[in-house]
Amino acid sequence: MTERLTLRDGRALAFSTYGDPNGTPVIFSHGFSDSHVIRHPDDNLTASLGVRWISADEPGVGGSSPKKDRRMVDWGADMEDLANHLGLDTFNVAGHSGGGPHALAVAFHMPERVRKVALASPVAPFDEPGVTKMLVLKDLKTIAKLRHLTFLIRWAERSGAKSALKDIPSYVESVVDQMPNEAKTILRNPEQQALFEDNFRLGYQQHEEGVFEMTMALWDWGFSPNEVRQPVNMFYGSADDIISPEMPRHLCSELPNCTAHEWPDAGHYGFVDRERWIEFVGAVASLS
């Protein structure tokens, strides 16, 4: 069930909790065009790992209010409000893709409360030399080249959102056609395919707003990766259709306490497949 919280600045935050309600609390940040529902579809599996999985829609996504001109660092304050609301003294964080820097922002903002970090297929700061050359997906490469032409970026993302919302099942098929290595995850079974359809529907619920805000936040994070001191376990696939494995390896090299793990033949969304989900969630299944 989706819950809603009013943040200190009056914006709404939509979030859900999965897994074991008495387990280790983990705040998860989703990626670009995704929403808070992205996860392995079997919540009993998550519960068996002893984790209370807390996932929120980022600004402009699903039921969360937009935040104009936001930066990655701003997500830390939002998640502080959520942690306080839930009565969490200490917790772990996790993030996927563009949610990777969001998770790091939470760790940076609350170093005394966040114990561990797990990242799956995370992106690095786009304003660092050579990072955008590590993009694989053609559409993202184009967006990176248009960085200063924000009206064109918004127009392109509005067009994409309109197309997606018109027919979500067809949009999922187009994602698989464009990124064939994701097919084995997205279409693995009817439950997983339905979850991805729900995920993208919420991701574009406010049309292009959420993806546009995240796009613009990918450059100036407002903090440096080398300021995140907590232990980080980073997972990435060797068959990623969106970013090159070079990007997460580069980010890991900038984090003071990072261990990288390559998943052979995994795509960008491979983290939601059963065995990888167990490994990913297991990395933050305890506070010690």
Side-chain angles (χ1 to χ4, degrees):
M1 182 180 70
T2 302
E3 300 179 66
R4 283 175 174 78
L5 166 68
T6 300
L7 300 170
R8 69 186 79 180
D9 64 1
R11 287 180 297 117
L13 180 80
F15 70 97
S16 292
T17 301
Y18 307 99
D20 180 357
N22 298 312
T24 299
V26 178
I27 292 180
F28 172 74
S29 300
H30 65 77
F32 182 88
S33 79
D34 294 323
S35 63
H36 79 275
V37 303
I38 189 70
R39 66 194 191 285
H40 188 277
D42 183 0
D43 291 331
N44 288 327
L45 174 61
T46 304
S48 74
L49 299 171
V51 163
R52 180 186 181 190
W53 196 256
I54 303 156
S55 184
D57 284 329
E58 289 157 19
V61 173
S64 291
S65 303
K67 182 177 174 62
K68 185 180 179 182
D69 299 325
R70 74 178 180 93
R71 295 191 298 170
M72 289 294 174
V73 71
D74 298 330
W75 187 238
D78 289 355
M79 293 301 95
E80 181 180 11
D81 284 358
L82 178 58
N84 291 344
H85 172 73
L86 295 174
L88 307 180
D89 293 327
T90 56
F91 54 95
N92 295 330
V93 296
H96 166 245
S97 190
H102 285 79
L104 293 174
V106 181
F108 168 75
H109 182 74
M110 291 180 279
E112 73 290 349
R113 296 173 71 177
V114 175
R115 296 291 178 84
K116 296 180 185 177
V117 182
L119 305 178
S121 306
V123 299
F126 277 18
D127 51 358
E128 292 184 353
V131 166
T132 57
K133 293 180 180 178
M134 301 174 190
L135 294 170
V136 174
L137 188 65
K138 182 179 177 181
D139 289 351
L140 284 180
K141 287 182 176 181
T142 301
I143 286 173
K145 291 177 181 178
L146 297 174
R147 177 193 176 183
H148 298 293
L149 300 175
T150 55
F151 68 97
L152 282 180
I153 293 176
R154 186 180 277 278
W155 175 85
E157 293 180 338
R158 180 179 298 139
S159 177
K162 183 178 180 181
S163 176
L165 290 169
K166 184 177 181 180
D167 188 341
I168 287 291
S170 294
Y171 173 74
V172 171
E173 290 179 11
S174 73
V175 168
V176 169
D177 288 342
Q178 189 178 16
M179 300 182 290
N181 289 330
E182 307 308 322
K184 56 184 177 288
T185 291
I186 295 175
L187 306 179
R188 183 167 297 280
N189 53 52
E191 292 78 17
Q192 203 139 299
Q193 183 172 348
L195 184 140
F196 272 92
E197 290 178 3
D198 191 26
N199 170 58
F200 292 131
R201 186 178 292 108
L202 284 171
Y204 286 117
Q205 183 170 303
Q206 297 184 53
H207 301 276
E208 83 286 357
E209 189 59 44
V211 292
F212 176 74
E213 289 188 16
M214 180 182 285
T215 297
M216 303 317 297
L218 289 173
W219 275 273
D220 179 10
W221 289 8
F223 67 97
S224 172
N226 63 29
E227 295 177 279
V228 178
R229 316 301 298 186
Q230 295 93 329
V232 178
N233 272 288
M234 181 181 295
F235 304 89
Y236 63 92
S238 64
D240 196 318
D241 286 317
I242 297 179
I243 60 174
S244 164
E246 293 177 73
M247 189 179 292
R249 288 198 294 260
H250 168 75
L251 177 60
C252 194
S253 72
E254 295 190 307
L255 293 162
N257 193 4
C258 179
T259 303
H261 311 269
E262 182 175 279
W263 284 327
D265 302 321
H268 197 70
Y269 284 100
F271 80 106
V272 304
D273 288 329
R274 183 181 179 88
E275 295 307 316
R276 299 189 190 103
W277 181 254
I278 291 171
E279 188 176 4
F280 178 57
V281 176
V284 282
S286 73
L287 292 173
S288 58

